[in-house]
């Protein structure tokens, strides 16, 4: 069990670096170019891993409908998700972007009601209200009357990212494709889509030095290794206990952003994060009746 917790904590740490490292990369590289490079690196890395584990043969078992589904899931769950998230990171503090992005577990609850036909109850509704209150606290810094409109665009973009990832997660559960092959395919779709948009709308910039290191870090460590470590942890440990470790990520992001970017540790951001996490834990609580069973 110690090994599984170690793998899970490794994944959590790597994920916590996504916002601050992306913030650095986006300092001199357009958003879509950065997304394309990171996704392409992740795709190649996962391709090598899957080839070494003889998993590529799974692709032969997919029907044309399966390929349509994975293309759509990759487009919404990774391309649109990262498009919204990268924009949010580029216009607001990295720690705030990460905190608001952590609405995605609540989005899973909302979409599960409509797609998986799960029941909405008072507990889940309270969880949604608490988490959105946390977003408002992060967004306004306690001053609703004087919210920065530029910051508002970043906030809405991060909320949009959470919506996309929540929708992706629900369909990922419903379709249950092999996750190793699925993520390789999803990142490949993200690389193709962002590459096309970048060529059409951006002036490409050379990637050197810190930006190159950051892109490799995001592609290999954050996108690929963190995912593989998390998958191994879930397969070998208790799912509920392992999954709870994911909520350490935004707290660590605040610390990493302070160290790498010099972002101050805002009490408003911390308070908003506490509300969001509280909402998540409320909806995860099985309740007394279920515990008695």
């Amino acid at each position: 069990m110690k090994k599984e917790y170690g793998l899970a904590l490794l994944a959590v740490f790597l994920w916590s670096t996504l916002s601050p490292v992306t913030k650095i990369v986006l300092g001199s590289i357009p958003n879509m170019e950065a997304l394309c490079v990171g996704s392409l690196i992740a795709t190649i890395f996962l391709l090598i891993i899957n080839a070494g584990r003889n998993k590529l043969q799974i692709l032969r078992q997919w029907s044309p409908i399966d390929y349509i589904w994975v293309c759509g899931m990759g487009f919404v769950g990774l391309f649109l998700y990262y498009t919204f998230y990268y924009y949010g990171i580029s216009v607001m503090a990295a720690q705030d972007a990460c905190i608001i992005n952590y609405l995605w577990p609540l989005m899973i609850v909302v979409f599960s009601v409509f797609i998986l036909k799960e029941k909405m109850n008072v507990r889940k509704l309270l969880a949604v209200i608490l988490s959105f209150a946390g977003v408002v606290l992060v967004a306004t810094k306690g001053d609703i009357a004087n919210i920065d409109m530029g910051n508002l665009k970043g906030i809405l973009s991060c909320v949009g990212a959470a919506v996309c990832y929540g929708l992706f997660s629900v369909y990922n559960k419903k379709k249950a494709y092999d996750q190793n092959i699925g993520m390789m395919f999803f990142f490949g779709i993200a690389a193709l889509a962002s590459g096309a948009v970048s060529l059409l709308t951006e002036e490409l910039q050379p990637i050197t030095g810190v930006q190159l290191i950051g892109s490799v870090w995001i592609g290999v460590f954050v996108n690929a290794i963190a995912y593989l470590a998390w998958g191994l942890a879930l397969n070998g440990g208790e799912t509920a206990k392992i999954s709870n470790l994911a909520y350490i990520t935004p707290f660590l992001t605040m610390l990493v952003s302070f160290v790498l970017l010099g972002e101050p540790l805002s009490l408003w951001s911390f308070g908003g994060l506490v509300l969001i996490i509280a909402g998540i834990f409320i909806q995860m609580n099985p309740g007394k009746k279920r515990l008695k069973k």
Side-chain angles (χ1 to χ4, degrees), residues 228-248:
L228 292 174
W230 186 254
L232 289 172
L234 287 178
N235 288 338
E238 295 182 41
T239 300
K241 292 182 179 180
I242 295 294
S243 296
N244 286 341
L245 294 176
Y247 303 113
I248 301 173

Side-chain angles (χ1 to χ4, degrees), residues 6-78:
L7 289 170
L9 289 173
L10 172 63
V12 165
F13 167 72
L14 293 174
W15 284 335
S16 73
T17 66
L18 175 60
S19 288
V21 172
T22 299
K23 185 85 172 179
I24 294 172
V25 172
L26 295 180
S28 60
I29 300 174
N31 290 19
M32 289 296 98
E33 181 181 353
L35 176 54
C36 178
V37 172
S39 298
L40 183 60
I41 291 173
T43 303
I44 295 172
F45 186 85
L46 289 171
L47 175 62
I48 294 171
I49 296 295
N50 286 323
R53 298 171 67 184
N54 294 319
K55 278 185 167 286
L56 296 181
Q57 58 186 345
I58 293 175
L59 293 172
R60 299 177 182 176
Q61 302 170 11
W62 286 359
S63 69
I65 297 298
D66 289 324
Y67 279 100
I68 292 174
W69 267 110
V70 294
C71 285
M73 291 167 63
F75 185 83
V76 174
L78 289 189

Side-chain angles (χ1 to χ4, degrees), residues 94-167:
Q95 59 178 291
D96 289 348
C98 178
I99 290 170
I100 296 172
N101 178 58
Y102 257 71
L103 279 174
W104 64 261
L106 270 298
M107 293 299 106
I108 292 176
V109 174
V110 173
F111 285 121
S112 293
V113 172
F114 298 102
I115 298 171
L116 302 179
K117 307 303 179 182
E118 296 181 359
K119 293 182 179 180
M120 174 62 78
N121 53 35
V122 174
R123 175 169 51 83
K124 291 181 179 180
L125 183 60
L126 176 60
V128 171
I129 293 172
L130 262 180
S131 291
F132 272 103
V135 170
V136 172
L137 192 60
V138 173
T140 63
K141 305 298 183 185
D143 189 0
I144 297 177
N146 296 313
I147 186 171
D148 181 3
M149 294 306 295
N151 200 44
L152 179 60
K153 292 180 180 179
I155 293 162
L156 293 176
S157 186
C158 288
V159 171
V163 169
C164 287
Y165 199 74
L167 182 62

